[in-house]
Amino acid sequence: MPYVDEVLERVKQQNPDQPEFYQAVYEVLESLRPAIAKKESAYRKSALLERLTTPERAILFRVPWVDDRGQVQVNNGYRVQFNSAIGPYKGGLRFHPSVNLSVIKFLGFEQVFKNSLTGLPIGGGKGGADFDPKGKSDREVMAFCQSFMTELSKYIGPDTDVPAGDIGVGSREIGYLFGQYKRLSGRYEGVLTGKGLSYGGSLARTQATGYGLLYIVDEMLRCNGKSLEGKTVAVSGAGNVATYAIEKAWQLGAKPVTCSDSTGWIYDPDGIDVATLTVVKHVRRARLTEYAAARPGSVCHEGKGVWSIPCDVALPCATQNELLLEDAKVLAAGGCFAVAEGANMPTSLDATAYLQSHGVLFCPGKASNAGGVATSALEMSQNSQRLSWSFEEVDAKLSDIMVKIFHNLDEAANAYDMPGNYVAGANIAGFLKVADAMDAQGYV
Ligand code: NDP
């Protein structure tokens, strides 16, 4: 049996209750086949793929906290330190009721390749809790963050593991987590990224994932003889990534016409108004119905449906498995010629295959949303140097990194005779660097 199949079988057997993790491993290993084939016996002998698909460490912990009624609540906390071959573990924390070990392992596994693609010295990890910050008071969120960090602080540090934000973990949560780490350790150090500007954060980190997504889309289109100028863009999500993707899409001459949250979605034929969206979702933390109320020309729909609007470019920026086969068919039939993932694994495997086989340019999340972690690494550099770079300096470095990532995956796809297959290109380019470092460091 080919080595890849053997390992896929092993991952399935050992993780029967982890569908998201298996989906992520399957997607990566399938596209690594040509790269594995070149060194199959050496990789098999050193159990490279078994080591690559098994986290170095998975920490599960109890998070007790007291709510505003005086009731003790208990959540499940996680930190999966997946691979440190090329640097300290780096990856976000997600607070959402859907968080479980499978979700955190899939995200940690993806992060290994994403971080490798940035060209920066960062390994892969991910963490979080099944805590829902929605509807909680500030005091409750602080109590939760402090309890979460009391346990997590034993396992992280500026040279070992540097978490950041993700779904449900924004600047407010990072502030509470950082404060508790400092109080427990007595040290003021760059142990988290996505920090506020007044205490070690980097300019442009907030915008980085959304802006980076548009920088790579711009380069992908340019290299395929197209451009964003005058194009209609469909975006899902209304959080950090979606908001700044929408803002940069406008700046690059496109018109973003949709956004969504977990209850519904907006179609605004005049284009999404970033200021209104920011007030509704980031200041008031309200539902999108308030956006429609403030913008009479727009329509708010309940449930899913954001991909039913004809567009040239689609940017899924909410969560995993939100663009399915049926959506891919509607997008391709409506003339969409490019899809780039702002979220992690938002496109199902069959939807990705459909888009690729119907001539739609497809940029996978591990490349297209890498701007966030890349800028986190720039924040780590600034913290180590005790310096703060200007917005323009960080933004220019981000743009440069995204353009380089695109050429990295384009070249890897060409080198393995799969021109235009950016999924394979991203996986192969990310893998080769990590595999090389693992090889050099012995069987650890
Ligand atoms: P936010 O929490 O800021 O926003 C998430 C958005 O997605 C919200 O609009 C939320 O709706 C919506 N959403 C969440 N879960 C669901 C669901 N099950 N169904 C429909 N909509 C949902 O998160 P981010 O913008 O930071 O992250 C979005 C995605 O991008 C995630 O996949 C994340 O892993 C990925 N990512 C984020 C990076 C970053 O720097 N922030 C970096 C790289 C990747 P509601 O408002 O109703 O909660």
Side-chain angles (χ1 to χ4, degrees):
M1 191 193 279
Y3 182 38
V4 164
D5 294 309
E6 244 173 60
V7 175
L8 282 173
E9 196 49 42
R10 178 182 189 272
V11 171
K12 192 177 233 168
Q13 271 175 13
Q14 294 196 342
N15 307 279
D17 53 349
Q18 298 181 5
E20 294 88 357
F21 176 55
Y22 182 75
Q23 181 182 341
V25 172
Y26 181 89
E27 188 253 343
V28 170
L29 293 199
E30 276 299 321
S31 64
L32 287 182
R33 280 183 193 276
I36 303 292
K38 286 200 171 172
K39 288 180 74 175
E40 174 144 344
S41 67
Y43 285 153
R44 191 197 293 269
K45 185 134 196 269
S46 66
L48 187 103
L49 293 183
E50 287 88 337
R51 288 188 286 138
L52 191 72
T53 53
T54 307
E56 288 176 21
R57 198 170 296 101
I59 302 147
L60 279 64
F61 51 96
R62 178 169 75 203
V63 190
W65 56 283
V66 182
D67 71 17
D68 284 346
R69 294 170 298 133
Q71 175 64 48
V72 177
Q73 302 284 347
V74 179
N75 286 98
N76 296 296
Y78 304 86
R79 185 71 184 167
V80 171
Q81 299 178 328
F82 221 106
N83 192 303
S84 62
I86 62 170
Y89 311 105
K90 181 95 199 81
L93 298 171
R94 178 177 291 191
F95 292 169
H96 192 271
S98 63
V99 163
N100 57 36
L101 188 58
S102 172
V103 167
I104 298 297
K105 279 175 68 181
F106 119 63
L107 290 164
F109 183 70
E110 289 274 302
Q111 197 82 42
V112 174
F113 302 92
K114 180 188 308 188
N115 293 2
S116 166
L117 278 174
T118 64
L120 300 166
I122 38 178
K126 198 84 187 187
D130 55 359
F131 170 76
D132 190 356
K134 268 199 218 103
K136 306 288 190 303
S137 69
D138 274 356
R139 194 210 61 79
E140 289 177 320
V141 171
M142 189 195 298
F144 177 81
C145 289
Q146 290 180 341
S147 180
F148 183 84
M149 182 51 88
T150 299
E151 190 58 28
L152 184 71
S153 64
K154 298 169 190 167
Y155 311 103
I156 61 175
D159 295 316
T160 50
D161 184 354
V162 185
D166 190 74
I167 291 179
V169 179
S171 54
R172 173 182 61 170
E173 291 76 14
I174 291 288
Y176 295 151
L177 291 164
F178 183 74
Q180 182 71 354
Y181 177 86
K182 182 166 60 83
R183 181 190 195 194
L184 290 166
S185 67
R187 288 190 299 276
Y188 201 110
E189 53 194 14
V191 71
L192 289 164
T193 57
K195 297 186 291 298
L197 294 178
S198 56
Y199 62 97
S202 173
L203 285 161
R205 172 61 187 94
T206 311
Q207 294 84 352
T209 308
Y211 278 21
L213 172 65
L214 269 293
Y215 291 145
I216 205 168
V217 167
D218 198 38
E219 186 65 7
M220 176 173 78
L221 296 191
R222 199 184 60 75
C223 293
N224 284 279
K226 299 179 189 298
S227 106
L228 271 168
E229 188 67 43
K231 301 299 184 306
T232 301
V233 179
V235 177
S236 67
N240 172 272
V241 180
T243 303
Y244 291 105
I246 289 169
E247 183 169 280
K248 187 52 79 177
W250 278 117
Q251 290 173 12
L252 294 178
K255 181 156 90 164
V257 293
T258 63
C259 64
S260 67
D261 68 11
S262 46
T263 58
W265 58 284
I266 292 283
Y267 172 54
D268 190 339
D270 296 329
I272 297 292
D273 184 63
V274 178
T276 307
L277 181 65
T278 303
V279 169
V280 171
K281 293 302 297 184
H282 299 263
V283 180
R284 297 171 46 76
R285 298 178 194 268
R287 308 265 45 117
L288 283 173
T289 41
E290 290 199 15
Y291 177 96
R295 295 266 297 173
S298 69
V299 190
C300 186
H301 301 266
E302 274 185 22
K304 294 180 191 293
V306 75
W307 310 123
S308 61
I309 298 296
C311 64
D312 301 304
V313 176
L315 306 175
C317 296
T319 192
Q320 63 268 16
N321 293 324
E322 51 154 329
L323 196 166
L324 307 178
L325 181 58
E326 284 314 306
D327 305 313
K329 288 181 180 170
V330 173
L331 283 171
C336 172
F337 58 75
V339 174
E341 298 182 317
N344 284 311
M345 211 168 72
T347 318
S348 61
L349 293 171
D350 51 2
T352 304
Y354 185 90
L355 292 167
Q356 287 182 311
S357 65
H358 285 75
V360 178
L361 300 170
F362 183 87
C363 193
K366 61 174 74 67
S368 50
N369 69 32
V373 75
T375 310
S376 277
L378 300 179
E379 183 175 330
M380 289 163 73
S381 301
Q382 292 170 79
N383 291 165
S384 302
Q385 297 177 359
R386 305 268 191 269
L387 286 176
S388 297
W389 302 334
S390 69
F391 186 97
E392 290 70 24
E393 201 172 348
V394 179
D395 193 36
K397 286 185 201 298
L398 167 66
S399 166
D400 196 41
I401 289 169
M402 298 312 294
V403 167
K404 278 199 187 118
I405 291 176
F406 176 74
H407 288 284
N408 231 338
L409 42 108
D410 190 36
E411 279 158 25
N414 288 333
Y416 284 85
D417 287 332
M418 293 181 278
N421 186 341
Y422 303 131
V423 173
N427 288 333
I428 292 171
F431 165 77
L432 290 176
K433 182 173 171 191
V434 175
D436 191 57
M438 287 175 73
D439 240 1
Q441 292 172 24
Y443 307 143
V444 296

